[in-house]
Amino acid sequence: GDSVTQTEGQVTVSESKSLIINCTYSTTSIAYPNLFWYVRYPGEGLQLLLKVITAGQKGSSRGFEATYNKETTSFHLQKASVQESDSAVYYCALDNYAQGLTFGLGTRVSVFP
Amino acid sequence: EAGVTQSPRYAVLQEGQAVSFWCDPISGHDTLYWYQQPRDQGPQLLVYFRDEAVIDNSQLPSDRFSAVRPKGTNSTLKIQSAKQGDTATYLCASSTGDTLYFGSGTRLTVL
């Protein structure tokens, strides 16, 4: 079946520093899945941060970027300069033929001033 | 535009009790999903519908869990005899394409 791996369960970073959250995926399909980053801010529901449906393309939103790398089967999330408001739980996910999302375990990001 | 609405927000049960969760998707969304999210894990798909039809329920523990969406709008997920291992947040999501819109979830604790 499909799987998504996020290696960091928790990340703590100072405000204005850079952030990278690693994500790799595995799929049994012969096609390339759609890839997503979802985020849950404190007290809020899970919401889409960005998505990329074409291998090789980059998605961006709210200062975050992620590039769909089919060679390394990765979709790492990066931000050059984080703010306290970026403190949240981030989930990498894949969608194979619109069969519902397969999520990673999530990475809790804490940004301190 | 109203988002996905779920109720109740919280539920606390003893083992063996039954519980139902209710979901009202975004108007016009034909696809509805139920996910289970144990603490410190990612959401895991239980079942999903397109209109009133079940498309995939292979991950639903069929002996105790059931889900319906009779008119292709609202949906109910029921646990017949809850176990401690069912403690989790139950998320409903809806979509018309590849982006899912999630409700706030129901946090279930089974004692």
Side-chain angles (χ1 to χ4, degrees):
Chain A
D2 300 332
S3 67
V4 175
T5 301
Q6 293 177 239
T7 52
E8 305 94 358
Q10 188 159 325
V11 174
T12 302
V13 59
S14 299
E15 202 169 28
S16 80
K17 298 298 185 183
S18 64
L19 171 69
I20 182 165
I21 304 174
N22 294 309
C23 172
T24 57
Y25 66 89
S26 172
T27 175
T28 55
S29 169
I30 60 173
Y32 297 115
N34 299 332
L35 298 177
F36 303 79
W37 279 100
Y38 277 77
V39 59
R40 175 181 283 124
Y41 296 105
E44 299 185 19
L46 199 57
Q47 58 186 277
L48 178 68
L49 178 61
L50 58 86
K51 67 179 179 183
V52 179
I53 62 174
T54 303
Q57 297 298 307
K58 180 169 68 177
S60 60
S61 174
R62 307 181 199 179
F64 287 89
E65 294 182 339
T67 300
Y68 189 156
N69 189 321
K70 63 180 181 180
E71 284 78 25
T72 59
T73 62
S74 65
F75 192 54
H76 306 320
L77 183 68
Q78 303 182 71
K79 188 171 186 180
S81 177
V82 296
Q83 304 171 331
E84 270 193 272
S85 58
D86 294 322
S87 295
V89 184
Y90 295 81
Y91 296 92
C92 185
L94 71 82
D95 175 19
N96 207 342
Y97 295 118
Q99 294 176 348
L101 295 174
T102 299
F103 286 88
L105 293 180
T107 298
R108 182 177 300 275
V109 174
S110 299
V111 180
F112 61 94
Chain B
E1 177 183 84
V4 177
T5 304
Q6 291 186 245
S7 65
R9 290 296 305 273
Y10 304 93
V12 181
L13 309 174
Q14 299 290 332
E15 272 199 324
Q17 289 186 307
V19 63
S20 292
F21 310 129
W22 181 80
C23 175
D24 186 6
I26 293 173
S27 178
H29 282 196
D30 59 351
T31 309
L32 185 146
Y33 306 82
W34 284 104
Y35 282 84
Q36 180 191 60
Q37 185 173 17
R39 185 177 176 82
D40 295 330
Q41 295 188 33
Q44 299 158 11
L45 182 67
L46 290 173
V47 59
Y48 80 100
F49 300 84
R50 188 157 294 124
D51 299 319
E52 67 277 7
V54 174
I55 304 302
D56 184 0
N57 63 358
S58 60
Q59 302 305 310
L60 197 66
S62 58
D63 59 333
R64 296 185 300 109
F65 285 63
S66 62
V68 295
R69 193 187 185 199
K71 298 182 179 179
T73 52
N74 300 338
S75 177
T76 303
L77 175 69
K78 183 174 182 178
I79 306 176
Q80 194 66 32
S81 177
K83 298 181 178 181
Q84 287 188 353
D86 299 331
T87 293
T89 298
Y90 291 82
L91 299 170
C92 178
S94 68
S95 75
T96 58
D98 58 17
T99 297
L100 272 61
Y101 297 84
F102 285 84
S104 297
T106 297
R107 187 177 298 179
L108 173 67
T109 302
V110 183
L111 303 174

